[in-house]
Amino acid sequence: MLKFIPRHEFETLANQHHRGQKLRKVSRWSQFVALSLGQLAGRASLRDIVSNLSAQTAKLYHLGSASVTSTTLARVNESQPYTLYEALFHKLLSRCQGLAPRHGFRFKNKLYSLDATTIDLCLSVFPWARFGSTKGAVKVHVGLDHDGFLPSFVTVTDGKTHDVTVGRTLDLPAESIVVMDRAYNDYSWFNALNDKGIFFVTRQKRNALYRVVERHHVLKDKGLTSDQTIVITGSNAGKCPVALRRIGYRDPETGKHYVFLTNNFRLAARTIADIYKARWQIELFFKCIKQNLKIKTFVGTSRNAVLTQIWIAMCAYLLLAWIKFNSRIDQSLQQMIRLLQLNLFERRELLPLLKGEPPGPPEASPQAELRFS
C-alpha cells in the first residue's frame, strides 16, 4: 500500500514541513507508518501501536521504517507540524480525482455536498479545545465531491466555528452545484455564490419571508407540490436581491414534506429534489470514517497531535479510495479494512486479496534450492 506514496515526494514535503533540529531517533516516514498502522489496524493507543510494530521488526526495514518507542512517537506527534499530512492529503487527492467515477446524474456540472461533524473531547484532557463550559470539541468540515465521494475540501476547526463561516471560504468552481442543509442558510452568501456562477440547493427555513413572482406547472405524480419563482422580502431582502426558485416535494416513502431553495432554473424540479436527497452521502461518509478509522479517540492530547491523527486518517481514506478506483472492486471501505487488518504485513498482491482469491504457493527462497552434489 505504501508504494502508492512516492517516497521522494514524501521526503520533499517532510523537509518543507519541519520544525526545529533534525530528528535523530525517528523520521517523519516512520511516524507516518506507525500512525497509518494505527488507523488501518484499529490500534487504540501509542503503546498498542508500538507493540504492534515491535512484533514486525524484521519487516520494517522493507517499509523504509524503523521501530519507535512510545515516548519518541509522542514527542514527534506533539512537536512536528501536522501540516505535512495536510499537504500529503492534497497530493493523494489530486491522484484520486483523476480516477474517480462520475456522479450518477445526467448533468455535467460538478456536485458537492457540504456538512460538518463534531468530535467530542474531554475538556480536562484537551483544555485547548473548549467548546462549552464543561466539554471540548473539534469540528471537521467537509466538501464531498460526488465524483467518487472524495472529501475534496477538508477543514478542521474548533467546535465553536459555525458551518457557514467555513463554507464562505471554499473556492468552489464556477458552474458547480453545492448542496447543503439549513445550517448554511445565509442570504448574503447565496447572493455571492450566484454572482460567481455557482448553483446551490438547500432547504428553506420555516420562518423565511418571501413573495411569489411566478408559479410553474409540476408533475404531482412525482411527488412535487410546487415550483415557484420567488424574491426574498423582509429584513433579508437587501442581502439576496436576485430571484430564487422554491420547490416543494413530498417524499412518497415517509410522507415528509420538504421545501428547497435554489438559484438553478435549468434543471427539472424533481432533479433538484434528487440532488438534495443525494446529500445523504456526506452523512454516510462521516459515519464511515468514524466507524472504521481512528478519529474519535486520540493517541495524543495536544492540538498538533490531534490534527496529525485526523489528517493521517484522511490520507488513509484516500489510499483506500485509490485502491478501490484502480481495482474496480465493489467492496465497501469497511470490508476492505477488515481484509487488510489481517494482512497488513503479509507480502501479497492487493487485487487478489480484495477479490477474495486464495493466496498462491509461497515463493521458494534461493537458499532453499541449493543442493550439495
Side-chain angles (χ1 to χ4, degrees):
M1 287 183 65
L2 295 179
K3 285 184 177 179
F4 301 138
I5 302 176
R7 186 68 182 275
H8 68 279
E9 287 187 7
F10 184 93
E11 294 300 337
T12 300
L13 292 175
N15 291 331
Q16 293 172 356
H17 300 269
H18 179 78
R19 180 188 298 160
Q21 296 181 348
K22 184 178 179 181
L23 298 174
R24 292 181 298 173
K25 294 185 177 180
V26 66
S27 66
R28 298 303 296 276
W29 178 255
S30 294
Q31 179 198 25
F32 178 68
V33 171
L35 295 182
S36 296
L37 167 70
Q39 292 292 338
L40 297 173
R43 302 298 94 187
S45 65
L46 278 181
R47 184 173 295 179
D48 198 6
I49 292 172
V50 169
S51 298
N52 219 256
L53 286 173
S54 299
Q56 305 290 342
T57 304
K59 298 179 181 179
L60 292 180
Y61 172 80
H62 300 285
L63 300 178
S65 181
S67 58
V68 296
T69 65
S70 57
T71 304
T72 303
L73 188 56
R75 185 172 63 250
V76 174
N77 289 348
E78 184 172 350
S79 62
Q80 290 303 313
Y82 71 88
T83 51
L84 163 61
Y85 302 111
E86 185 178 1
L88 178 63
F89 168 84
H90 291 291
K91 284 274 188 182
L92 294 174
L93 177 63
S94 62
R95 281 185 167 193
C96 290
Q97 287 173 331
L99 297 171
R102 287 188 55 79
H103 58 68
F105 291 93
R106 292 184 179 179
F107 55 80
K108 296 181 179 180
N109 310 62
K110 292 286 289 183
L111 178 61
Y112 299 94
S113 287
L114 298 187
D115 208 349
T117 185
T118 301
I119 301 172
D120 294 327
L121 300 173
C122 177
L123 187 59
S124 61
V125 180
F126 304 89
W128 51 268
R130 180 174 292 277
F131 180 48
S133 59
T134 59
K135 69 175 186 176
V138 293
K139 190 179 282 190
V140 181
H141 306 260
V142 172
L144 189 73
D145 186 347
H146 284 246
D147 290 352
F149 303 119
L150 295 173
S152 293
F153 303 97
V154 179
T155 305
V156 185
T157 68
D158 59 78
K160 294 181 180 180
T161 303
H162 199 279
D163 296 1
V164 74
T165 303
V166 175
R168 293 194 197 99
T169 66
L170 300 182
D171 186 19
L172 298 166
E175 295 293 316
S176 61
I177 301 173
V178 56
V179 55
M180 48 211 166
D181 62 15
R182 283 184 287 208
Y184 291 86
N185 263 244
D186 184 310
Y187 291 113
S188 299
W189 186 42
F190 291 167
N191 190 52
L193 290 175
N194 189 74
D195 290 342
K196 294 177 183 177
I198 299 169
F199 302 110
F200 63 85
V201 177
T202 187
R203 288 180 65 185
Q204 185 186 44
K205 284 189 173 181
R206 294 186 180 90
N207 61 350
L209 299 177
Y210 62 93
R211 175 170 55 86
V212 177
V213 176
E214 186 178 358
R215 302 178 189 274
H216 309 282
H217 175 70
V218 295
L219 299 174
K220 294 187 177 181
D221 59 335
K222 292 189 175 183
L224 300 168
T225 59
S226 62
D227 185 0
Q228 305 164 338
T229 299
I230 67 169
V231 291
I232 302 300
T233 60
S235 59
N236 291 314
K239 297 179 181 179
C240 187
V242 298
L244 299 178
R245 189 178 181 189
R246 179 181 182 273
I247 295 171
Y249 173 76
R250 188 173 300 280
D251 190 328
E253 296 179 4
T254 63
K256 188 174 181 179
H257 189 258
Y258 299 88
V259 179
F260 306 117
L261 278 184
T262 181
N263 62 336
N264 191 310
F265 290 84
R266 304 176 191 171
L267 298 176
R270 178 55 192 266
T271 302
I272 298 296
D274 289 339
I275 287 173
Y276 190 85
K277 188 175 182 179
R279 194 198 71 84
W280 186 247
Q281 290 296 332
I282 197 169
E283 303 290 351
L284 297 180
F285 168 80
F286 286 134
K287 180 181 179 182
C288 174
I289 62 173
K290 283 187 172 183
Q291 288 183 346
N292 299 291
L293 298 174
K294 303 296 289 186
I295 66 166
K296 291 200 298 182
T297 57
F298 296 93
V299 298
T301 58
S302 68
R303 180 177 183 274
N304 191 76
V306 168
L307 293 180
T308 294
Q309 188 170 329
I310 291 175
W311 281 109
I312 288 181
M314 293 295 103
C315 290
Y317 179 89
L318 291 182
L319 276 176
L320 294 168
W322 197 87
I323 293 169
K324 185 172 182 176
F325 297 158
N326 258 307
S327 57
R328 298 181 181 180
I329 56 175
D330 295 328
Q331 277 91 339
S332 66
L333 184 75
Q334 185 180 53
Q335 292 171 324
M336 292 176 67
I337 288 180
R338 284 177 177 174
L339 285 171
L340 291 170
Q341 280 179 349
L342 302 175
N343 297 274
L344 276 179
F345 287 96
E346 297 297 325
R347 195 172 182 84
R348 289 189 57 185
E349 292 186 21
L350 276 174
L351 188 55
L353 170 65
L354 295 173
K355 287 186 174 180
E357 298 176 6
E363 296 180 5
S365 65
Q367 288 81 3
E369 295 179 359
L370 290 176
R371 296 291 186 272
F372 291 100
S373 57

